[in-house]
PDB file of all heavy atoms in Angstrom:
ATOM      1  N   ILE T  31      -3.147 -44.896   2.649  1.00 87.00           N
ATOM      2  CA  ILE T  31      -4.555 -44.977   2.988  1.00 87.00           C
ATOM      3  C   ILE T  31      -4.951 -46.475   2.880  1.00 87.00           C
ATOM      4  O   ILE T  31      -4.639 -47.161   1.886  1.00 87.00           O
ATOM      5  CB  ILE T  31      -5.417 -44.146   2.031  1.00 87.00           C
ATOM      6  CG1 ILE T  31      -5.037 -42.666   2.150  1.00 87.00           C
ATOM      7  CG2 ILE T  31      -6.909 -44.272   2.336  1.00 87.00           C
ATOM      8  CD1 ILE T  31      -5.748 -41.737   1.193  1.00 87.00           C
ATOM      9  N   GLU T  32      -5.656 -46.953   3.883  1.00 89.00           N
ATOM     10  CA  GLU T  32      -6.215 -48.317   3.806  1.00 89.00           C
ATOM     11  C   GLU T  32      -7.534 -48.205   3.101  1.00 89.00           C
ATOM     12  O   GLU T  32      -8.615 -47.933   3.667  1.00 89.00           O
ATOM     13  CB  GLU T  32      -6.366 -48.837   5.202  1.00 89.00           C
ATOM     14  CG  GLU T  32      -5.056 -48.992   6.002  1.00 89.00           C
ATOM     15  CD  GLU T  32      -5.263 -49.437   7.424  1.00 89.00           C
ATOM     16  OE1 GLU T  32      -6.220 -50.170   7.633  1.00 89.00           O
ATOM     17  OE2 GLU T  32      -4.472 -49.031   8.265  1.00 89.00           O
ATOM     18  N   ILE T  33      -7.527 -48.444   1.810  1.00 89.00           N
ATOM     19  CA  ILE T  33      -8.701 -48.185   0.967  1.00 89.00           C
ATOM     20  C   ILE T  33      -9.881 -49.029   1.446  1.00 89.00           C
ATOM     21  O   ILE T  33     -11.023 -48.527   1.519  1.00 89.00           O
ATOM     22  CB  ILE T  33      -8.401 -48.500  -0.528  1.00 89.00           C
ATOM     23  CG1 ILE T  33      -7.436 -47.364  -1.088  1.00 89.00           C
ATOM     24  CG2 ILE T  33      -9.659 -48.542  -1.336  1.00 89.00           C
ATOM     25  CD1 ILE T  33      -8.058 -46.009  -1.029  1.00 89.00           C
ATOM     26  N   GLU T  34      -9.656 -50.290   1.711  1.00 89.00           N
ATOM     27  CA  GLU T  34     -10.757 -51.193   2.092  1.00 89.00           C
ATOM     28  C   GLU T  34     -11.459 -50.618   3.366  1.00 89.00           C
ATOM     29  O   GLU T  34     -12.673 -50.509   3.470  1.00 89.00           O
ATOM     30  CB  GLU T  34     -10.259 -52.622   2.376  1.00 89.00           C
ATOM     31  CG  GLU T  34     -11.371 -53.578   2.681  1.00 89.00           C
ATOM     32  CD  GLU T  34     -10.904 -54.983   2.840  1.00 89.00           C
ATOM     33  OE1 GLU T  34      -9.676 -55.239   2.600  1.00 89.00           O
ATOM     34  OE2 GLU T  34     -11.675 -55.867   3.177  1.00 89.00           O
ATOM     35  N   LYS T  35     -10.680 -50.277   4.343  1.00 91.00           N
ATOM     36  CA  LYS T  35     -11.230 -49.765   5.624  1.00 91.00           C
ATOM     37  C   LYS T  35     -11.883 -48.443   5.482  1.00 91.00           C
ATOM     38  O   LYS T  35     -13.004 -48.225   5.942  1.00 91.00           O
ATOM     39  CB  LYS T  35     -10.087 -49.682   6.673  1.00 91.00           C
ATOM     40  CG  LYS T  35     -10.613 -49.230   8.015  1.00 91.00           C
ATOM     41  CD  LYS T  35      -9.425 -49.194   9.050  1.00 91.00           C
ATOM     42  CE  LYS T  35      -9.887 -48.761  10.393  1.00 91.00           C
ATOM     43  NZ  LYS T  35      -8.731 -48.707  11.365  1.00 91.00           N
ATOM     44  N   ILE T  36     -11.235 -47.487   4.783  1.00 90.00           N
ATOM     45  CA  ILE T  36     -11.820 -46.189   4.634  1.00 90.00           C
ATOM     46  C   ILE T  36     -13.046 -46.188   3.766  1.00 90.00           C
ATOM     47  O   ILE T  36     -13.968 -45.367   3.973  1.00 90.00           O
ATOM     48  CB  ILE T  36     -10.727 -45.185   4.100  1.00 90.00           C
ATOM     49  CG1 ILE T  36     -11.009 -43.727   4.582  1.00 90.00           C
ATOM     50  CG2 ILE T  36     -10.678 -45.221   2.572  1.00 90.00           C
ATOM     51  CD1 ILE T  36     -10.877 -43.552   6.048  1.00 90.00           C
ATOM     52  N   THR T  37     -13.107 -47.109   2.796  1.00 90.00           N
ATOM     53  CA  THR T  37     -14.283 -47.145   1.931  1.00 90.00           C
ATOM     54  C   THR T  37     -15.513 -47.666   2.725  1.00 90.00           C
ATOM     55  O   THR T  37     -16.618 -47.084   2.611  1.00 90.00           O
ATOM     56  CB  THR T  37     -14.049 -48.163   0.761  1.00 90.00           C
ATOM     57  OG1 THR T  37     -12.951 -47.664  -0.017  1.00 90.00           O
ATOM     58  CG2 THR T  37     -15.293 -48.255  -0.108  1.00 90.00           C
ATOM     59  N   GLU T  38     -15.277 -48.631   3.631  1.00 91.00           N
ATOM     60  CA  GLU T  38     -16.363 -49.110   4.451  1.00 91.00           C
ATOM     61  C   GLU T  38     -16.859 -47.977   5.372  1.00 91.00           C
ATOM     62  O   GLU T  38     -18.127 -47.835   5.586  1.00 91.00           O
ATOM     63  CB  GLU T  38     -15.864 -50.310   5.291  1.00 91.00           C
ATOM     64  CG  GLU T  38     -15.509 -51.542   4.489  1.00 91.00           C
ATOM     65  CD  GLU T  38     -16.711 -52.130   3.765  1.00 91.00           C
ATOM     66  OE1 GLU T  38     -17.849 -51.922   4.227  1.00 91.00           O
ATOM     67  OE2 GLU T  38     -16.517 -52.684   2.661  1.00 91.00           O
ATOM     68  N   GLN T  39     -16.004 -47.230   5.916  1.00 90.00           N
ATOM     69  CA  GLN T  39     -16.381 -46.119   6.831  1.00 90.00           C
ATOM     70  C   GLN T  39     -17.147 -45.072   6.069  1.00 90.00           C
ATOM     71  O   GLN T  39     -18.157 -44.522   6.528  1.00 90.00           O
ATOM     72  CB  GLN T  39     -15.137 -45.530   7.481  1.00 90.00           C
ATOM     73  CG  GLN T  39     -14.464 -46.432   8.484  1.00 90.00           C
ATOM     74  CD  GLN T  39     -13.217 -45.818   9.044  1.00 90.00           C
ATOM     75  OE1 GLN T  39     -12.815 -44.659   8.619  1.00 90.00           O
ATOM     76  NE2 GLN T  39     -12.574 -46.519   9.957  1.00 90.00           N
TER      77      GLN T  39
END
Side-chain angles (χ1 to χ4, degrees):
I31 301 175
E32 300 176 30
I33 289 297
E34 183 176 356
K35 182 178 179 180
I36 207 67
T37 300
E38 294 297 331
Q39 292 177 357

